[in-house]
């Protein structure tokens, strides 16, 4: 995986023209396609599921970065692998057996990520940080695109970076929610590797150009 990468979130794509939007992403400099899976239980919203991931995978030229905002994610690991996920991220808050879940994701042949809600401290990752490929820090409360960035995220990124360095972990840091040129620049400076961005990209006049500039804000 690359450093200073962008993962474009299709939650803000035009679902009536999803194929067209995936083609735009294919042509852009984005590194990953971020797919948000919501179950209406862990988060107060529903999004899309496996059949949509399968279809996207058929035409996607970028790896699928799948973010599971669902309870019991361990039940669906193989299904998401079969649907085409390259990277599978589970929420810390729903995984009492996180170590096992991470191992199962890797065994299925995917990169394994763990996501933290805004209130979940990075210190809880001390004993798992060497096992994960990626930590996703939620910079909004999960469930919706287009929300306001939570400022505490910068110090959280710095603390996570310190933890990664102190444990000699190879984990990447991904940030999700409220990313734009301004927050993106500060996030890269704080130590982030991958920025997820949805509404900022899709609401801009030239999404491809916005992606290009998001990779260059640092
Ligand atoms: C929120 C999702 C995000 C969302 C980000 O629950 O996890 O991936 O798409 O959207 P923006 O970039 O609009 O904040
Ligand atoms: Zn997400």
């Amino acid at each position: 995986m690359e450093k200073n990468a962008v993962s474009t979130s299709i939650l803000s794509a035009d679902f009536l023209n999803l194929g067209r939007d995936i083609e735009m992403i294919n042509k852009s400099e984005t590194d990953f396609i971020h797919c948000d899976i919501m179950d209406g239980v862990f988060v107060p919203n529903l999004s899309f599921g496996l059949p949509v991931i399968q279809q996207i995978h058929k035409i996607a030229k970028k790896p699928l970065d799948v973010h599971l905002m669902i309870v019991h994610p361990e039940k669906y690991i193989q299904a998401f692998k079969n649907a085409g996920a390259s990277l599978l991220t589970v929420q810390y808050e729903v995984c009492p057996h996180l170590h096992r879940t991470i191992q199962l994701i890797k065994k299925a042949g995917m990169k394994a990520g763990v996501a933290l809600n805004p209130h979940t401290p990075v210190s809880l990752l001390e004993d798992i940080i060497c096992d994960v490929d990626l930590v996703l820090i939620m910079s909004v409360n999960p469930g919706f695109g287009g929300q306001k960035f939570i400022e505490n995220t910068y110090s959280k990124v710095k603390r996570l970076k310190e933890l990664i360095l102190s444990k000699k972990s190879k984990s990447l840091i991904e940030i999700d929610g409220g990313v734009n040129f301004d927050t993106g620049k500060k996030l890269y400076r704080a130590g982030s590797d991958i920025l997820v961005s949805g509404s900022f990209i899709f609401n801009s006049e030239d999404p491809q150009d916005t992606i290009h500039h998001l990779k260059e804000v640092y």
Side-chain angles (χ1 to χ4, degrees):
M1 281 191 269
E2 252 183 75
K3 293 239 162 178
N4 294 333
V6 168
S7 189
T8 300
S9 172
I10 55 156
L11 194 60
S12 295
D14 175 356
F15 288 101
L16 278 179
N17 292 288
L18 190 55
R20 181 202 66 194
D21 283 357
I22 300 296
E23 295 297 352
M24 180 282 290
I25 294 174
N26 282 344
K27 278 187 240 140
S28 78
E29 290 168 54
T30 199
D31 299 271
F32 301 95
I33 301 178
H34 189 83
C35 306
D36 287 308
I37 310 296
M38 303 180 188
D39 67 353
V41 179
F42 176 65
V43 286
N45 198 8
L46 296 158
S47 58
F48 49 86
L50 289 159
V52 175
I53 301 286
Q54 275 165 17
Q55 296 304 317
I56 294 171
H57 181 60
K58 284 186 191 163
I59 61 162
K61 295 198 173 107
K62 315 278 181 173
L64 303 187
D65 162 23
V66 178
H67 176 194
L68 298 183
M69 284 163 275
I70 62 172
V71 295
H72 301 302
E74 68 283 351
K75 286 189 191 169
Y76 305 99
I77 293 171
Q78 194 57 50
F80 279 101
K81 169 66 184 173
N82 296 347
S86 292
L87 168 60
L88 196 64
T89 297
V90 295
Q91 288 280 155
Y92 178 90
E93 299 80 10
V94 294
C95 293
H97 303 288
L98 181 60
H99 185 272
R100 181 187 295 149
T101 303
I102 293 293
Q103 304 310 321
L104 289 172
I105 295 172
K106 289 180 171 178
K107 210 171 153 199
M110 294 175 283
K111 298 281 184 192
V114 60
L116 301 183
N117 266 351
H119 74 279
T120 306
V122 295
S123 56
L124 289 172
L125 299 178
E126 215 173 289
D127 292 300
I128 194 80
I129 197 69
C130 292
D131 297 287
V132 296
D133 296 301
L134 176 143
V135 177
L136 185 160
I137 294 184
M138 285 308 303
S139 40
V140 297
N141 284 296
F144 303 91
Q147 300 183 81
K148 193 177 177 298
F149 183 85
I150 296 171
E151 296 286 320
N152 182 54
T153 309
Y154 302 120
S155 80
K156 210 165 168 180
V157 174
K158 284 184 194 152
R159 278 178 277 133
L160 176 58
K161 189 79 187 173
E162 281 165 21
L163 176 66
I164 288 171
L165 292 173
S166 74
K167 297 277 186 179
K168 297 187 170 54
S169 159
K170 292 194 174 70
S171 174
L172 296 174
I173 301 176
E174 181 175 37
I175 311 299
D176 188 4
V179 169
N180 54 37
F181 293 145
D182 177 46
T183 55
K185 183 180 199 162
K186 294 179 194 153
L187 288 166
Y188 278 141
R189 287 184 180 169
S192 310
D193 302 297
I194 306 170
L195 299 183
V196 176
S197 184
S199 56
F200 183 64
I201 290 173
F202 284 101
N203 294 342
S204 69
E205 256 176 49
D206 185 343
Q208 244 177 279
D209 191 58
T210 303
I211 291 167
H212 168 73
H213 284 102
L214 259 182
K215 285 178 68 84
E216 303 220 315
V217 288
Y218 52 97

